[in-house]
Amino acid sequence: MGEDPKHWVRVPVGPEAARWATRGRCRRVLLVVHNVTAATRLIDVLPLFRDDLRLQVLATCTGSSPFQSGVAELLASTGVPVLPWEQALSTPVDLAVSASFGGQLDLLKGALAILSHGAGYNKTLTAPDTGHRTPDTVFGLGPEWILTAGGTPVADAMVFSHPEQIARLAESCPEALPTAVLAGDPCFDRILAARHHRDRYRRALGVHPGQRLVLLNSTWNPTSLFGDSGPEDVLPLLLPRLTSELPADEYRVAAVLHPNIWHGHGPGQIRLWLDRARRAGLALVDPLEGWRQALIAADVVLGDFGSVSYYAAACGTPVLLGAADPDALGTESPVAAFVRSAPRLDPYSALPPQLDELLTEHRPLDGPDRLTSSAPGQAAALLRGLFYRMIGITEPAGPAVLDPLPLPPYEPPLRTAPLRVITRTAADGSIAVLRFAEPRYEPDGAEGEGHLAVHEDTLDPGVLESADVILRYGEPDDPRFGPPHAWAAEVLGRYRSASLAVYVTGPRECVVLHRGGLRLRLTADGDGDPAAHASALLARLHTGPAVVAAPTTLTVRTGTRTTRVRVTVDRKSDRESDRRIDRAGTGRATRPDR
């Protein structure tokens, strides 16, 4: 059954559009969307039509992909008119641009250009109307995808990023070879153009100097790293160990998941699956706006056979494969060659030694860097030239440029999972701090004094009853908690086992109240988590004289990083704070007198 024409767009296209449209003589460009993944590649090239009053951009969705969730919202965010598919098929356009196959593309009334929506053409996929994979036929290169029933090419122009892809097209479907156009990779070009902002992207993710950013990445295939149909279901083994084996102050862990995972299972389900990991410090990166910035920022990618892992290798970033399905890739594709040569994760061995070995022995592979694009940095110019030739008008006079990658919002880690803290005091008085988020067993080689540090908003409030340090992060003047020392006194009055209450007020500073009555402010000379400095303070106080006295400075070591911390004593009297601490024996929560 066709769509009801009553719901068709009436302006700027439609039978009466000439009457209502303000600019009715525009050439029409139609973005043909299959799913969110393909739509993001069309959004990459949308800026190539900017500032041209001769063009009207439209969008439509074929409805042919099983992954329809999120498409309507993404198209709405572009702000261009979105035509129902039946209306799009009946509306003449000057250029249609698609980043995938599927749907009745051959029925569109206008010239059609098709882009890749990944790092070239690599994956095999169930062919339309057959119900099975065609052995070694790559999606987008086989005749079942790119020829009409009459044997003619679906597209007027098929865009490729490298001649090796065209060579494979000549083998798999020579009939479509005349449509092949070499025009680079706009997605990869946006990555290349933003690499000088790497430090900004790292800071946005809360990565401190000396920390390593480990990026967990998965494509959507059932045999991918996130999938459960491979030889081993690696994810349940890997997730808890990423945050419990890697010291919190030496590693930052983030995850980039394919949009088809997000929209196939639902963002809410993804957050449920990754809830423990997120409470332990995992950053879940936006799959549309943030993944390229996270990729640029990463020190190492823990991935699979998807395009993101290949882009990482093309940037020279070390990649450790947690899943590799050779049947999912065309054997002659560059990604298949990369997967055959890339180092593999051992899910049963300790992670830190594997990452150390990977980083020590890493040598950038020649293949990904060379084969991702034969025209790096030139996709905008090549694609705009192609599009305007197909439309039949001259290009604008200004340079063809893509949008720069936006700076992501600041997202420091918020670990509400309990932290096992190990401290060691060296002969020179410096204090080494190791913190592990909710480890299932005592960390290997973690020798020293141990204590438990817990965020006040931890999932299980019962853990607070045995915490040595209780934490909170926030603005110092947040009226919900009162002054930091007042909050700290209330916490110590409620939880009898805690020695320190720590209110982190900024990236270098925290306010500390010791049960012995010391009111302190810790100020670091560099970025880091001030909560780790508070744990070092606790270690110093526990190894000091019987009468609690605060040091004036601390030297704190986390991994290879050494931080100097100034300790300031707040000597102001706070009788109400003292009273709240004294009430600890009652076990009752207390409030300031009104």
Side-chain angles (χ1 to χ4, degrees), residues 27-31 49 55-58 94-95 97 391:
R27 305 291 182 101
R28 296 168 179 172
V29 176
L30 178 68
L31 306 180
F49 303 110
L55 300 181
Q56 169 68 60
V57 179
L58 310 165
D94 297 279
L95 172 67
V97 185
I391 295 170

Side-chain angles (χ1 to χ4, degrees), residues 388-403:
Y388 274 79
R389 288 194 301 273
M390 296 179 74
I391 295 170
I393 57 177
T394 58
E395 290 185 66
V401 290
L402 303 169
D403 280 345

Side-chain angles (χ1 to χ4, degrees), residues 38-48 97-99 114-120 159-162 165 181-194 291-292 311 372-384 386-387 400-405:
T40 59
R41 297 310 174 96
L42 298 179
I43 291 174
D44 279 343
V45 302
L46 182 58
L48 298 180
V97 185
S98 175
I114 295 184
L115 316 177
S116 165
H117 64 262
V159 175
F160 296 93
S161 63
H162 197 280
Q165 299 162 18
V181 178
L182 199 60
D185 183 334
C187 174
F188 188 53
D189 280 3
R190 293 183 75 192
I191 293 173
L192 295 177
W291 72 268
R292 284 173 279 212
Y311 280 135
T372 297
S373 174
S374 62
Q378 301 178 53
L382 293 171
L383 285 171
R384 194 178 75 170
L386 169 67
F387 292 157
V401 290
L402 303 169
D403 280 345
L405 295 180

Side-chain angles (χ1 to χ4, degrees), residues 101-102 114 125-128 137-148 154:
F101 298 86
I114 295 184
L125 192 67
T126 301
T137 298
V138 173
F139 172 65
L141 295 183
E144 61 270 45
W145 295 105
I146 61 180
L147 297 182
T148 66
V154 171

